[in-house]
Amino acid sequence: MQFTRRIGLILLWLAPLALAFAAANKNDPYLVVLRGAGNIALVVLSIAIAIVLFRRGHWQRAPGRLLVVLWCLPPLLMSAAHLKFELRRHEVLHASRAAVRQLGPHFIVGYSSFPEVAHLAEQGLIGGIYITRHNIRRRTVDELRIEIAALQDKRRAAGLPPLIVTADQEGGIVGHLSPPLTKVPALATLAELPPEARKAKAEEFGRTHGRELAALGVNLNLAPVLDLKPPVRRNRLDFHTLIGQRAIASDPAVVGEIAGAYVQGLEASGVGATLKHFPGIGRVRTDTHHFAANLDTPVEELEASDWRPFKEVLAQSRAALMVGHVTLTAVDPDRAASHSRRVVQGILRDKWNYQGVVMTDDLVMGAIYQHDVCKAVVEAMNAGVDLLLVAYDGAQFYRVFDCALDGARQGRLDAAMLRASEGRIGKAFPGD
């Protein structure tokens, strides 16, 4: 009994510190599950316990007063965090027309609130949206199609280019709109088929995805994965990348054949493809959803193996290219490839002469977000990255866009690079 009481007393002192930390960081993507009802519950619990402690006379003694104050901290810190978010949101929503025109086309954002994303779309603060499972949960395909069409109508009425509408339909374990869309097997399941059979089947998979996505209003699929299948088991802490299950094969030729046929099927249905995740994450054991990661392989070896499928499929398609958050140490050891000028401009644009659309992987991933995200945003735009993706937690758009605004105000953005980027976007996604 005495032991239980001591444990309870320890928890009574430690719990407000944990809740205060959560409250102060309420806008962090790691705490997205607490938003809404979770935040309300945290505030109500803290206030209720503070009142109970006060009414039981704890305020009469110094330790008790400290305990009451600790339980009052979570609501105060949450209010401060919410105020900071609203001030940043206000600054973004009231950005100058010139800044919006310059920066808006480069952002793709995930969303939960239709009125909020509709406002961003109408004002030109974003260039596209990201559709995922929560957008279609407990809804029909027709309802989501009507919602996307309504956003496009608002863009048209505002005299703005159509939104780029993206989704993540790879097949296998990554098919965020399946169900209700058709659940297609992973492209990796085709690797052991004879060459002609696997190409025919891959194209069929692409047509299936393309037909259903086009009917929904999606015009860019964030697939296929061109990373080579890793030869060894990845880190046990890799809960999200799971590239061993998503990669097609370890043979670059097989990857190129299957991916190329899949892209043909997508494009034949009117949907663009996105090759990912250059410069390749098959050799990387760290999960960039949470941690920074290095790719230490020499460029010559990557050119002869990992990069072959990227170059082959880019040469025979109109595909976009997603750059991942791994650091290509042989080229730029100081920053991830997703915001490295040496990688994007030096390799993709200058060496490969690729003039298509380049986009980042999700900027909400820990490899970027938990470091200097503002530096990454400015460097990505100056490197020639065309689209910056804010997918998992759309609320982070305000922080990311504010980073771009701050870079523009300080004259740190390359205006010529942004104009060239906007030209590439316009060419890849022409208006009606």
Side-chain angles (χ1 to χ4, degrees), residues 87-284:
L87 289 173
R88 180 179 283 153
R89 181 172 178 270
H90 181 271
E91 184 173 3
V92 168
L93 294 178
H94 292 84
S96 70
R97 185 173 180 178
V100 170
R101 183 186 179 98
Q102 181 187 47
L103 303 174
H106 304 281
F107 289 89
I108 305 288
V109 63
Y111 71 95
S112 298
S113 166
F114 176 78
E116 185 169 21
V117 79
H119 184 69
L120 296 178
E122 283 180 309
Q123 298 302 311
L125 283 159
I126 57 175
I129 55 174
Y130 171 80
I131 304 295
T132 190
R133 55 174 57 93
H134 68 255
N135 297 107
I136 205 164
R137 188 178 295 127
R138 294 187 293 275
R139 304 174 72 189
T140 66
V141 171
D142 277 345
E143 286 173 329
L144 183 55
R145 178 184 57 77
I146 291 169
E147 181 173 285
I148 294 171
L151 289 173
Q152 297 291 27
D153 288 342
K154 290 178 181 295
R155 291 284 285 194
R156 197 175 296 111
L160 294 167
L163 291 168
I164 302 168
V165 183
T166 67
D168 235 336
Q169 288 289 93
E170 297 175 10
I173 61 171
V174 178
H176 294 164
L177 301 180
S178 301
L181 299 191
T182 301
K183 189 168 181 60
V184 172
L187 291 175
T189 61
L190 309 180
E192 298 304 319
L193 297 177
E196 290 306 314
R198 66 190 176 214
K199 287 171 68 176
K201 203 68 179 174
E203 185 172 352
E204 179 188 325
F205 285 3
R207 286 181 182 274
T208 298
H209 275 159
R211 182 175 61 251
E212 295 187 346
L213 290 173
L216 190 59
V218 174
N219 52 21
L220 182 66
N221 191 18
L222 304 186
V225 169
L226 266 66
D227 310 282
L228 299 189
K229 189 179 286 289
V232 294
R233 188 175 179 180
R234 287 174 68 87
N235 192 314
R236 291 182 179 179
L237 296 178
D238 176 12
F239 300 118
H240 292 97
T241 302
L242 301 173
I243 204 65
Q245 299 179 52
R246 297 164 62 197
I248 295 172
S250 56
D251 184 342
V254 173
V255 174
E257 282 182 9
I258 293 176
Y262 175 82
V263 169
Q264 286 178 5
L266 267 182
E267 292 184 344
S269 304
V271 175
T274 308
L275 314 185
K276 60 187 187 184
H277 312 79
F278 186 83
I281 57 177
R283 298 174 186 261
V284 178

Side-chain angles (χ1 to χ4, degrees), residues 373-387:
V373 67
C374 281
K375 179 182 178 184
V377 167
V378 170
E379 288 188 345
M381 289 181 149
N382 288 341
V385 172
D386 305 301
L387 298 174

